[in-house]
Short mmCIF file of all heavy atoms in Angstrom, two decimals:
data_model
loop_
_atom_site.label_atom_id
_atom_site.label_comp_id
_atom_site.label_asym_id
_atom_site.label_seq_id
_atom_site.Cartn_x
_atom_site.Cartn_y
_atom_site.Cartn_z
N GLY A 123 -14.80 1.58 -23.48
CA GLY A 123 -14.72 3.00 -23.17
C GLY A 123 -13.31 3.43 -22.82
O GLY A 123 -12.39 2.62 -22.70
N SER A 124 -13.15 4.74 -22.67
CA SER A 124 -11.85 5.28 -22.30
C SER A 124 -11.54 4.89 -20.85
O SER A 124 -12.44 4.81 -20.01
CB SER A 124 -11.85 6.80 -22.44
OG SER A 124 -12.16 7.18 -23.75
N PRO A 125 -10.27 4.64 -20.54
CA PRO A 125 -9.92 4.27 -19.17
C PRO A 125 -10.21 5.39 -18.19
O PRO A 125 -9.97 6.56 -18.48
CB PRO A 125 -8.42 3.97 -19.27
CG PRO A 125 -7.95 4.69 -20.49
CD PRO A 125 -9.10 4.67 -21.44
N ASN A 126 -10.74 5.03 -17.04
CA ASN A 126 -11.05 5.98 -15.98
C ASN A 126 -9.81 6.17 -15.12
O ASN A 126 -9.53 5.37 -14.22
CB ASN A 126 -12.23 5.47 -15.15
CG ASN A 126 -12.74 6.50 -14.17
OD1 ASN A 126 -12.01 7.40 -13.76
ND2 ASN A 126 -13.99 6.38 -13.78
N LEU A 127 -9.04 7.21 -15.40
CA LEU A 127 -7.77 7.41 -14.70
C LEU A 127 -7.99 7.68 -13.22
O LEU A 127 -7.19 7.25 -12.38
CB LEU A 127 -7.00 8.55 -15.35
CG LEU A 127 -6.62 8.35 -16.82
CD1 LEU A 127 -5.80 9.53 -17.32
CD2 LEU A 127 -5.83 7.06 -17.00
N ALA A 128 -9.05 8.41 -12.89
CA ALA A 128 -9.32 8.69 -11.47
C ALA A 128 -9.60 7.40 -10.72
O ALA A 128 -9.12 7.20 -9.60
CB ALA A 128 -10.50 9.66 -11.35
N TRP A 129 -10.39 6.50 -11.34
CA TRP A 129 -10.65 5.22 -10.67
C TRP A 129 -9.38 4.40 -10.54
O TRP A 129 -9.14 3.77 -9.51
CB TRP A 129 -11.69 4.40 -11.46
CG TRP A 129 -11.82 3.02 -10.90
CD1 TRP A 129 -12.54 2.64 -9.82
CD2 TRP A 129 -11.18 1.83 -11.38
NE1 TRP A 129 -12.40 1.29 -9.58
CE2 TRP A 129 -11.56 0.77 -10.53
CE3 TRP A 129 -10.32 1.56 -12.43
CZ2 TRP A 129 -11.10 -0.53 -10.71
CZ3 TRP A 129 -9.86 0.26 -12.62
CH2 TRP A 129 -10.26 -0.76 -11.77
N PHE A 130 -8.55 4.41 -11.57
CA PHE A 130 -7.31 3.64 -11.50
C PHE A 130 -6.44 4.13 -10.35
O PHE A 130 -5.87 3.33 -9.60
CB PHE A 130 -6.54 3.76 -12.82
CG PHE A 130 -5.19 3.09 -12.78
CD1 PHE A 130 -5.07 1.74 -13.00
CD2 PHE A 130 -4.04 3.82 -12.51
CE1 PHE A 130 -3.83 1.11 -12.96
CE2 PHE A 130 -2.80 3.21 -12.46
CZ PHE A 130 -2.70 1.86 -12.69
N ALA A 131 -6.32 5.45 -10.20
CA ALA A 131 -5.52 5.98 -9.10
C ALA A 131 -6.11 5.58 -7.75
O ALA A 131 -5.37 5.18 -6.83
CB ALA A 131 -5.43 7.50 -9.22
N ALA A 132 -7.44 5.66 -7.62
CA ALA A 132 -8.08 5.27 -6.36
C ALA A 132 -7.88 3.78 -6.09
O ALA A 132 -7.59 3.38 -4.94
CB ALA A 132 -9.57 5.60 -6.42
N ALA A 133 -8.03 2.94 -7.13
CA ALA A 133 -7.83 1.50 -6.94
C ALA A 133 -6.39 1.20 -6.56
O ALA A 133 -6.13 0.30 -5.73
CB ALA A 133 -8.21 0.76 -8.23
N ALA A 134 -5.43 1.93 -7.14
CA ALA A 134 -4.03 1.71 -6.79
C ALA A 134 -3.77 2.06 -5.33
O ALA A 134 -3.05 1.35 -4.62
CB ALA A 134 -3.13 2.53 -7.71
N VAL A 135 -4.35 3.17 -4.86
CA VAL A 135 -4.19 3.55 -3.46
C VAL A 135 -4.79 2.50 -2.54
O VAL A 135 -4.18 2.11 -1.52
CB VAL A 135 -4.83 4.93 -3.21
CG1 VAL A 135 -4.85 5.25 -1.72
CG2 VAL A 135 -4.07 6.01 -3.97
N VAL A 136 -5.99 2.02 -2.87
CA VAL A 136 -6.62 0.98 -2.05
C VAL A 136 -5.76 -0.29 -2.04
O VAL A 136 -5.58 -0.92 -0.99
CB VAL A 136 -8.03 0.67 -2.58
CG1 VAL A 136 -8.63 -0.54 -1.86
CG2 VAL A 136 -8.94 1.87 -2.41
N ALA A 137 -5.21 -0.67 -3.19
CA ALA A 137 -4.35 -1.85 -3.25
C ALA A 137 -3.13 -1.69 -2.37
O ALA A 137 -2.72 -2.63 -1.65
CB ALA A 137 -3.94 -2.11 -4.70
N LEU A 138 -2.52 -0.50 -2.38
CA LEU A 138 -1.35 -0.26 -1.52
C LEU A 138 -1.74 -0.34 -0.04
O LEU A 138 -0.96 -0.87 0.78
CB LEU A 138 -0.75 1.10 -1.84
CG LEU A 138 -0.08 1.23 -3.22
CD1 LEU A 138 0.37 2.66 -3.45
CD2 LEU A 138 1.11 0.28 -3.33
N LEU A 139 -2.91 0.17 0.31
CA LEU A 139 -3.36 0.06 1.70
C LEU A 139 -3.56 -1.40 2.10
O LEU A 139 -3.22 -1.80 3.22
CB LEU A 139 -4.67 0.84 1.87
CG LEU A 139 -4.58 2.37 1.77
CD1 LEU A 139 -5.97 2.98 1.86
CD2 LEU A 139 -3.69 2.92 2.88
N VAL A 140 -4.12 -2.19 1.20
CA VAL A 140 -4.32 -3.62 1.50
C VAL A 140 -2.97 -4.32 1.69
O VAL A 140 -2.79 -5.10 2.63
CB VAL A 140 -5.12 -4.29 0.37
CG1 VAL A 140 -5.16 -5.80 0.56
CG2 VAL A 140 -6.53 -3.73 0.32
N PHE A 141 -2.02 -4.03 0.81
CA PHE A 141 -0.70 -4.65 0.95
C PHE A 141 -0.04 -4.22 2.26
O PHE A 141 0.60 -5.03 2.93
CB PHE A 141 0.18 -4.27 -0.24
CG PHE A 141 0.01 -5.18 -1.42
CD1 PHE A 141 -0.76 -4.81 -2.50
CD2 PHE A 141 0.63 -6.42 -1.45
CE1 PHE A 141 -0.93 -5.65 -3.59
CE2 PHE A 141 0.47 -7.28 -2.52
CZ PHE A 141 -0.31 -6.89 -3.60
N ARG A 142 -0.16 -2.97 2.59
CA ARG A 142 0.46 -2.49 3.84
C ARG A 142 -0.19 -3.16 5.05
O ARG A 142 0.51 -3.59 5.99
CB ARG A 142 0.33 -0.97 3.94
CG ARG A 142 0.97 -0.39 5.21
CD ARG A 142 0.96 1.13 5.18
NE ARG A 142 1.47 1.70 6.42
CZ ARG A 142 2.75 1.84 6.72
NH1 ARG A 142 3.67 1.43 5.85
NH2 ARG A 142 3.13 2.37 7.87
N PHE A 143 -1.51 -3.27 5.04
CA PHE A 143 -2.20 -3.89 6.17
C PHE A 143 -1.79 -5.35 6.34
O PHE A 143 -1.50 -5.80 7.45
CB PHE A 143 -3.71 -3.80 5.95
CG PHE A 143 -4.52 -4.63 6.92
CD1 PHE A 143 -4.74 -4.18 8.21
CD2 PHE A 143 -5.03 -5.86 6.55
CE1 PHE A 143 -5.47 -4.95 9.10
CE2 PHE A 143 -5.76 -6.63 7.43
CZ PHE A 143 -5.98 -6.17 8.71
N THR A 144 -1.77 -6.10 5.25
CA THR A 144 -1.45 -7.52 5.35
C THR A 144 0.03 -7.75 5.67
O THR A 144 0.37 -8.65 6.43
CB THR A 144 -1.81 -8.23 4.04
OG1 THR A 144 -1.12 -7.60 2.95
CG2 THR A 144 -3.29 -8.17 3.77
N ALA A 145 0.92 -6.93 5.11
CA ALA A 145 2.35 -7.14 5.34
C ALA A 145 2.75 -6.81 6.77
O ALA A 145 3.60 -7.49 7.36
CB ALA A 145 3.16 -6.29 4.37
N ARG A 146 2.15 -5.80 7.35
CA ARG A 146 2.55 -5.38 8.70
C ARG A 146 2.19 -6.41 9.75
O ARG A 146 2.71 -6.35 10.87
CB ARG A 146 1.88 -4.04 9.05
CG ARG A 146 2.52 -2.85 8.35
CD ARG A 146 1.75 -1.59 8.65
NE ARG A 146 1.77 -1.27 10.07
CZ ARG A 146 2.74 -0.58 10.68
NH1 ARG A 146 3.77 -0.16 9.97
NH2 ARG A 146 2.69 -0.31 11.96
N ARG A 147 1.33 -7.35 9.43
CA ARG A 147 0.94 -8.36 10.40
C ARG A 147 1.64 -9.70 10.20
O ARG A 147 1.34 -10.67 10.86
CB ARG A 147 -0.58 -8.54 10.37
CG ARG A 147 -1.29 -7.48 11.16
CD ARG A 147 -2.66 -7.16 10.67
NE ARG A 147 -3.24 -6.09 11.46
CZ ARG A 147 -2.93 -4.80 11.30
NH1 ARG A 147 -2.07 -4.45 10.37
NH2 ARG A 147 -3.48 -3.87 12.07
N HIS A 148 2.58 -9.72 9.27
CA HIS A 148 3.35 -10.94 9.05
C HIS A 148 4.41 -11.07 10.12
O HIS A 148 4.94 -10.08 10.64
CB HIS A 148 4.00 -10.90 7.66
CG HIS A 148 4.51 -12.24 7.23
ND1 HIS A 148 5.76 -12.69 7.57
CD2 HIS A 148 3.94 -13.22 6.49
CE1 HIS A 148 5.95 -13.89 7.06
NE2 HIS A 148 4.86 -14.23 6.40
N ALA A 149 4.73 -12.33 10.46
CA ALA A 149 5.69 -12.58 11.54
C ALA A 149 7.06 -12.01 11.22
O ALA A 149 7.83 -11.67 12.12
CB ALA A 149 5.80 -14.08 11.80
N GLU A 150 7.44 -11.90 9.98
CA GLU A 150 8.77 -11.44 9.61
C GLU A 150 8.75 -10.05 8.99
O GLU A 150 9.66 -9.66 8.27
CB GLU A 150 9.41 -12.43 8.65
CG GLU A 150 9.63 -13.80 9.29
CD GLU A 150 10.22 -14.80 8.32
OE1 GLU A 150 10.21 -14.52 7.11
OE2 GLU A 150 10.70 -15.84 8.77
N SER A 151 7.67 -9.30 9.26
CA SER A 151 7.61 -7.92 8.77
C SER A 151 8.40 -7.01 9.70
O SER A 151 8.61 -7.32 10.87
CB SER A 151 6.16 -7.46 8.68
OG SER A 151 5.60 -7.39 9.99
N PRO A 152 8.87 -5.87 9.23
CA PRO A 152 9.64 -4.94 10.07
C PRO A 152 8.81 -4.42 11.24
O PRO A 152 7.61 -4.22 11.11
CB PRO A 152 10.02 -3.81 9.11
CG PRO A 152 9.86 -4.39 7.75
CD PRO A 152 8.78 -5.40 7.85
N ARG A 153 9.51 -4.24 12.38
CA ARG A 153 8.80 -3.66 13.52
C ARG A 153 8.45 -2.20 13.26
O ARG A 153 7.42 -1.71 13.65
CB ARG A 153 9.67 -3.75 14.78
CG ARG A 153 9.86 -5.15 15.31
CD ARG A 153 10.78 -5.13 16.50
NE ARG A 153 10.95 -6.46 17.06
CZ ARG A 153 10.16 -6.99 17.99
NH1 ARG A 153 9.14 -6.30 18.42
NH2 ARG A 153 10.38 -8.19 18.45
N ARG A 154 9.38 -1.51 12.63
CA ARG A 154 9.15 -0.10 12.34
C ARG A 154 9.41 0.14 10.86
O ARG A 154 10.33 -0.44 10.28
CB ARG A 154 10.06 0.78 13.19
CG ARG A 154 9.71 0.77 14.67
CD ARG A 154 10.58 1.76 15.42
NE ARG A 154 11.98 1.37 15.38
CZ ARG A 154 12.54 0.55 16.26
NH1 ARG A 154 11.81 0.05 17.24
NH2 ARG A 154 13.81 0.25 16.18
N ALA A 155 8.61 0.97 10.27
CA ALA A 155 8.78 1.32 8.87
C ALA A 155 8.42 2.78 8.69
O ALA A 155 7.59 3.33 9.41
CB ALA A 155 7.90 0.45 7.96
N SER A 156 9.08 3.41 7.76
CA SER A 156 8.86 4.83 7.51
C SER A 156 7.60 5.01 6.67
O SER A 156 7.54 4.56 5.53
CB SER A 156 10.07 5.43 6.78
OG SER A 156 9.78 6.75 6.38
N ALA A 157 6.62 5.66 7.26
CA ALA A 157 5.39 5.92 6.51
C ALA A 157 5.67 6.85 5.33
O ALA A 157 5.09 6.70 4.26
CB ALA A 157 4.34 6.53 7.43
N GLY A 158 6.57 7.80 5.54
CA GLY A 158 6.91 8.71 4.45
C GLY A 158 7.51 8.01 3.26
O GLY A 158 7.17 8.28 2.10
N VAL A 159 8.42 7.06 3.55
CA VAL A 159 9.04 6.30 2.46
C VAL A 159 8.00 5.45 1.74
O VAL A 159 7.98 5.38 0.50
CB VAL A 159 10.17 5.42 3.01
CG1 VAL A 159 10.70 4.49 1.93
CG2 VAL A 159 11.30 6.28 3.55
N ALA A 160 7.10 4.80 2.51
CA ALA A 160 6.08 3.96 1.90
C ALA A 160 5.16 4.79 1.00
O ALA A 160 4.84 4.38 -0.12
CB ALA A 160 5.26 3.26 2.98
N VAL A 161 4.75 5.96 1.48
CA VAL A 161 3.88 6.81 0.67
C VAL A 161 4.61 7.29 -0.58
O VAL A 161 4.04 7.31 -1.68
CB VAL A 161 3.39 8.01 1.51
CG1 VAL A 161 2.67 9.02 0.63
CG2 VAL A 161 2.48 7.54 2.63
N ALA A 162 5.88 7.65 -0.41
CA ALA A 162 6.65 8.14 -1.56
C ALA A 162 6.81 7.05 -2.62
O ALA A 162 6.66 7.29 -3.82
CB ALA A 162 8.01 8.64 -1.10
N VAL A 163 7.13 5.82 -2.17
CA VAL A 163 7.29 4.71 -3.12
C VAL A 163 5.97 4.41 -3.82
O VAL A 163 5.93 4.20 -5.04
CB VAL A 163 7.83 3.46 -2.39
CG1 VAL A 163 7.81 2.26 -3.32
CG2 VAL A 163 9.24 3.72 -1.90
N GLY A 164 4.88 4.36 -3.06
CA GLY A 164 3.58 4.09 -3.68
C GLY A 164 3.18 5.17 -4.67
O GLY A 164 2.71 4.87 -5.78
N ALA A 165 3.38 6.43 -4.30
CA ALA A 165 3.04 7.52 -5.21
C ALA A 165 3.90 7.47 -6.47
O ALA A 165 3.42 7.72 -7.58
CB ALA A 165 3.22 8.86 -4.50
N ALA A 166 5.18 7.13 -6.29
CA ALA A 166 6.07 7.04 -7.46
C ALA A 166 5.63 5.91 -8.39
O ALA A 166 5.67 6.05 -9.61
CB ALA A 166 7.51 6.82 -7.00
#
């Protein structure tokens, strides 16, 4: 079938949330990070 673009966008957002959650708990992750920059990079 034709690709479901809405699902792809939703899956990409969920994937970015998972990466953000796991990375922020790493011992060598930044103490502070710009949420605006992260959202902008993910959206781009």
